[in-house]
Every structure is written in structure tokens, then in C-alpha cells.
Amino acid sequence: MSVRTALLMSAALLLGGCEVSSEIGKECTLVRKASAEEETTFGRKFMPILEKEVAPKQDFISFGSIECEDLICVRDAAFPRATNEDGTVNQNAEAKGYCSKECVEGSNACEVKDTSGVLEGLPERMGCRALLLDQDTLEALRSSDEAFYRRTFGENNSPFFCAGAPVAQSSN
């Protein structure tokens, strides 16, 4: 067997055993762009968002989370808030969410493949849904002020992301 054939066979065997992993659903910290003063003081471009900065029971999306392969961290309305020992919201805790990615409406691209460290019940709720403004509004914003659009939404061009579906309210 030639060296070339041996290398090709080795590569095929190695690649055949590789499993594509995904970070969808893994916990992450919501971030925002640092102010010039924060960047100078802390030496980083992004700062963690605190619980007091996130409205309760609303979807929230954060671009730039280095904990996620696609740099997108999402917190859906049902995601639990950080609490103190007495059960009250810890307003100064870093707000958490889970890794997400852009998706195509109606696709099954949001499957949580590794459930270790994933919030219980999230994999069953995960799907592709709009979290931002609708597509027409995003395009209108981009057309009217490209610089503002890029500062706000980065390179994102779609309102659809992998996120937990809303949890039905129980009627008491």
C-alpha cells in the first residue's frame, strides 16, 4: 500500500468517527457592547448584562457571547432569572441565557444534540422562531440607516433564531 493511500484511508477513518457537535441550548451570559470608558477600564469589548437590565418574561437576544460558537445568546420569556436565597431576583447577577444560532423558519436546525448542562425542558421547547422585528422592518431599518443597523444588529439579517417556544400560561 502506498503512503498516499494509507494517508487517505486514515483521514477517512478519522473523519468518519467525528460527530458534529452543537452548543445550542448550552448556558451563556448575555452581553452588550462596552462603552468606550468600560473598554478602557476593563479591557474588553463586551460587558455582561445584569438581571436588572432585562425585563421579566420577555425574549432577549444578545450578540457577541464568546461562550457560543455563533456568538448568539438568547433568553426566552420562560428562562429562570438569577435569584437570591430568599427567592427574590438578584438584580446585580449576570443575566444568563442559552446559545442559539440563526435559522430558517420551518427548519429543524434547532435540535439540542447534547443535553448535558442544558436547562430541563428546553430541548422539547426548542424551535426556529422570530425573536427580533419582522423581516420587512429589519430590511427597512437597514435601508434607512445602515450604520445604526450594524451597531444594533451586527451582521444579522434574519429575525429567526433557535429559541424555546413560549410556555403556555396555566389558567387558575
Side-chain angles (χ1 to χ4, degrees), residues 13-14 20 45 64 66 68-69 76 84 86 90 97 105-109 117 136 144 147 154 157 160 164-165:
L13 288 172
L14 286 173
V20 177
K45 295 186 181 290
I66 60 171
C68 304
E69 61 194 341
D76 65 64
N84 295 309
D86 64 0
N90 182 347
E105 185 179 24
S107 72
N108 63 351
D136 292 338
S144 68
N157 295 311
F160 295 99

Side-chain angles (χ1 to χ4, degrees), residues 11-24:
L13 288 172
L14 286 173
L15 291 175
C18 292
E19 186 176 313
V20 177
S21 65
S22 171
E23 292 182 336
I24 293 175

Side-chain angles (χ1 to χ4, degrees), residues 32-165:
R32 62 174 171 74
K33 187 173 181 182
S35 67
E37 182 180 323
E38 289 170 328
E39 194 170 339
T40 301
T41 303
F42 299 106
R44 49 186 174 174
K45 295 186 181 290
F46 292 95
M47 297 296 296
I49 293 174
L50 303 178
E51 283 289 348
K52 64 184 169 189
E53 298 173 293
V54 179
K57 301 197 185 300
Q58 289 189 353
D59 292 334
F60 195 96
I61 187 165
S62 167
F63 301 105
S65 178
I66 60 171
E67 298 161 301
C68 304
E69 61 194 341
D70 289 314
L71 306 177
I72 301 169
C73 186
V74 164
R75 179 180 185 150
D76 65 64
F79 194 87
R81 297 177 68 99
T83 56
N84 295 309
E85 288 182 19
D86 64 0
T88 60
V89 174
N90 182 347
Q91 298 290 327
N92 293 314
E94 292 181 356
K96 301 292 184 179
Y98 50 86
C99 295
S100 181
K101 68 177 185 176
E102 216 176 310
C103 57
V104 176
E105 185 179 24
S107 72
N108 63 351
C110 298
E111 180 183 355
V112 176
K113 295 181 179 170
D114 180 3
T115 59
S116 60
V118 173
L119 182 67
E120 186 178 335
L122 180 62
E124 295 80 21
R125 296 189 304 115
M126 192 65 79
C128 183
R129 66 184 183 94
L131 286 179
L132 297 175
L133 308 167
D134 62 66
Q135 191 69 50
D136 292 338
T137 305
L138 281 175
E139 289 174 15
L141 284 171
R142 187 174 39 248
S143 296
S144 68
D145 188 344
E146 181 83 21
F148 170 77
Y149 181 89
R150 295 288 172 219
R151 281 192 312 273
T152 306
F153 301 109
E155 297 300 315
N156 180 63
N157 295 311
S158 170
F160 295 99
F161 294 90
C162 295

